[in-house]
Amino acid sequence: MNEQTSLLPREGGGLVPGSASSPEAPASAGARDSFNVQWPGLVNADGSRWHYLDTAATAQKPQVVIDAMARAMGADYATVHRGVYARSANMTLAYEAARRKVAGLIGGQEGEVVFTRGATEAINLIAQTWGVQNLKAGDRILLSQLEHHANIVPWQMLRDRTGVEIDICPLTDDGRIDLDAAERMLTPAHKLVAFAHISNVLGSLLDAERAVALAHGVGALILLDGCQAVPRVSVDVKALDCDFYVFSAHKLYGPTGIGALWARADILDAMPPWQGGGAMIDRVTFGTTTFAPAPQRFEAGTPAIVEAIAFGAAVDFVAGIGLNAIHAHESALVAKARDALRTTNSVRLFGPEDSAGIVSFAMEGVHPHDLGTILDEEGVAIRAGHHCAQPLMEHLGVPATARASFGIYNDESDIAALVRGIERTKRIFG
């Protein structure tokens, strides 16, 4: 992965390659035009900039990803894995090249990556294949209090089917998964630990190395939900020594409808197929069917060809900037946003000071949905609600939070617009 590109945040452009200008320097007309071309989704109809602060939900797409998707759907389009004609062969090469890119992004091998519809499907796949095959009544799963519903509900469904028990690890005072508590809770009865690598609400980064060691120390496997981590920090699944890792393309500046499940090759090879159909078979008769090896065994039917190729383009885009630069850029914006919000005595901040790319907060006397509506009138987009983490909301003692989340394209002008909108909200609600 290329971490060498010189990138500095500057007003009007987020991260820009090769810039020596000060972050405080106003963007030139040329820089604004370049930004508008690169990020068409961030330009309003009147040419003004949309202050998009909802990247944790889904990232805006750079033009290079849009172009890759358009080419794959248009001039290059053909099916994969089946056709003997040249374009089909070329499309198959592009599709499998995307798998290699996705695997390489997280330090894995292409045979260890299964394309899914997203992280949610990836977790369900694990629960309904590995989980059904390996877990039984009396076994235990350890989750945490901050998990996304996608890392809760599939395990509850498995519990109802198999009788496995679920334990919940508490959080530290600043909103991190309490690994000291996890160490006390884990027993040989635990067969799986499933934690978010970065919380989608609090932005808290898990000490993944320690979490893996604790799980393996009692003989459990560990699944990491990397949806918020992969777009923000460097991930090396082999160095982490985790067993399962899942993430979605659309949070990585790629398309919706596709994601990835990485698992150790020996685990994938032992997992039964989840869905049946074309592409995942070796030989079919009316008497019996034999299945293709992993990862094809888990990709029944015609795959998301166009989305996979765009996924690969998004990986190239992020790798060209460098995740170290992305993390530094977002960390600086988080620090500035927390400082700015802290000066408003009606605002309560959640999560650790060094949260990764995400700032959740509540405004006294104002429901987050009302705040989100007023901010939208000011050209600012935030997330307002429970963020698919209702158990965490209960823990925080609030029905919902407002969440500002940052990406490559954000800069200090977005924070200033957010603060202006909050000040207007204060005036409205008196």
Side-chain angles (χ1 to χ4, degrees):
M1 183 180 302
N2 176 14
E3 300 283 2
Q4 305 303 316
T5 306
S6 172
L7 292 154
L8 295 171
R10 86 174 166 191
E11 185 178 359
L15 284 177
V16 291
S19 171
S21 63
S22 163
E24 288 75 32
S28 66
R32 285 195 299 272
D33 291 343
S34 175
F35 178 86
N36 293 352
V37 168
Q38 186 173 35
W39 301 104
L42 293 174
V43 183
N44 293 315
D46 63 0
S48 63
R49 178 171 173 175
W50 186 33
H51 298 285
Y52 184 74
L53 295 173
D54 197 20
T55 298
T58 193
Q60 293 292 319
K61 319 307 173 193
Q63 188 63 49
V64 290
V65 170
I66 298 169
D67 290 344
M69 197 163 185
R71 284 195 305 275
M73 189 176 286
D76 295 345
Y77 185 74
T79 192
V80 297
H81 296 151
R82 299 183 180 96
V84 296
Y85 47 92
R87 190 186 291 185
S88 174
N90 290 336
M91 204 63 157
T92 299
L93 291 173
Y95 179 81
E96 294 301 333
R99 193 191 306 272
R100 285 194 298 276
K101 292 174 184 179
V102 171
L105 178 70
I106 59 170
Q109 299 297 317
E110 61 181 298
E112 301 166 331
V113 168
V114 178
F115 282 135
T116 63
R117 288 189 301 134
T120 297
E121 183 172 88
I123 295 173
N124 277 276
L125 190 160
I126 296 165
Q128 297 302 318
T129 56
W130 178 87
V132 169
Q133 184 182 58
N134 292 280
L135 300 182
K136 62 185 184 305
D139 292 337
R140 309 190 76 86
I141 296 171
L142 182 64
L143 308 178
S144 85
Q145 208 156 24
L146 57 67
E147 299 306 318
H148 189 283
H149 295 166
N151 200 26
I152 299 174
V153 179
W155 307 117
Q156 292 175 333
M157 294 170 68
L158 182 67
R159 175 197 62 195
D160 296 343
R161 179 174 178 180
T162 66
V164 67
E165 298 293 333
I166 297 173
D167 297 313
I168 307 301
C169 183
L171 307 181
T172 60
D173 290 343
D174 64 350
R176 303 178 195 273
I177 298 174
D178 188 342
L179 294 182
D180 289 339
E183 185 171 15
R184 293 190 297 270
M185 296 174 70
L186 283 166
T187 72
H190 286 92
K191 304 305 179 187
L192 180 71
V193 175
F195 285 164
H197 198 168
I198 290 177
S199 166
N200 73 307
V201 177
L202 303 176
S204 45
L205 175 65
L206 174 72
D207 182 349
E209 293 86 350
R210 186 182 175 200
V212 170
L214 291 175
H216 289 173
V218 297
L221 301 190
I222 184 165
L223 179 156
L224 296 176
D225 172 359
C227 281
Q228 301 299 335
V230 168
R232 294 186 165 85
V233 297
S234 294
V235 173
D236 186 332
V237 291
K238 295 299 176 67
L240 287 175
D241 195 30
C242 60
D243 302 292
F244 301 103
Y245 202 95
V246 303
F247 59 103
S248 295
H250 71 99
K251 298 179 191 295
L252 188 75
Y253 307 96
T256 56
I258 192 166
L261 158 63
W262 174 90
R264 292 202 333 258
D266 60 310
I267 297 174
L268 277 181
D269 288 343
M271 284 166 51
W274 183 32
Q275 298 175 323
M280 50 77 70
I281 56 87
D282 174 33
R283 177 171 170 74
V284 176
T285 71
F286 282 114
T288 188
T289 294
T290 55
F291 302 111
Q296 284 76 22
R297 182 164 66 249
F298 305 103
E299 296 179 7
T302 302
I305 303 166
V306 171
E307 289 81 0
I309 291 169
F311 195 176
V315 170
D316 287 341
F317 177 77
V318 168
I321 294 173
L323 281 158
N324 290 344
I326 293 171
H327 183 53
H329 174 68
E330 293 184 358
S331 295
L333 290 175
V334 163
K336 291 179 184 298
R338 291 183 73 92
D339 285 345
L341 293 174
R342 193 176 287 110
T343 63
T344 302
N345 57 17
S346 61
V347 169
R348 175 188 173 193
L349 290 165
F350 301 101
E353 287 299 308
D354 61 347
S355 58
I358 295 168
V359 179
S360 278
F361 60 96
M363 192 171 176
E364 185 179 353
V366 182
H367 193 283
H369 290 165
D370 294 329
L371 174 60
T373 298
I374 295 170
L375 287 171
D376 183 44
E377 294 171 356
E378 296 292 313
V380 179
I382 65 163
R383 194 64 143 195
H386 54 66
H387 317 296
C388 294
Q390 287 177 313
L392 177 57
M393 296 298 110
E394 183 176 354
H395 168 75
L396 297 175
V398 295
T401 70
R403 183 186 69 187
S405 53
F406 299 97
I408 293 170
Y409 32 67
N410 292 118
D411 61 31
E412 292 180 36
S413 71
D414 299 305
I415 299 172
L418 173 65
V419 172
R420 285 195 303 271
I422 289 173
E423 291 300 322
R424 180 185 170 216
T425 305
K426 286 172 62 177
R427 291 193 299 270
I428 291 173
F429 281 84

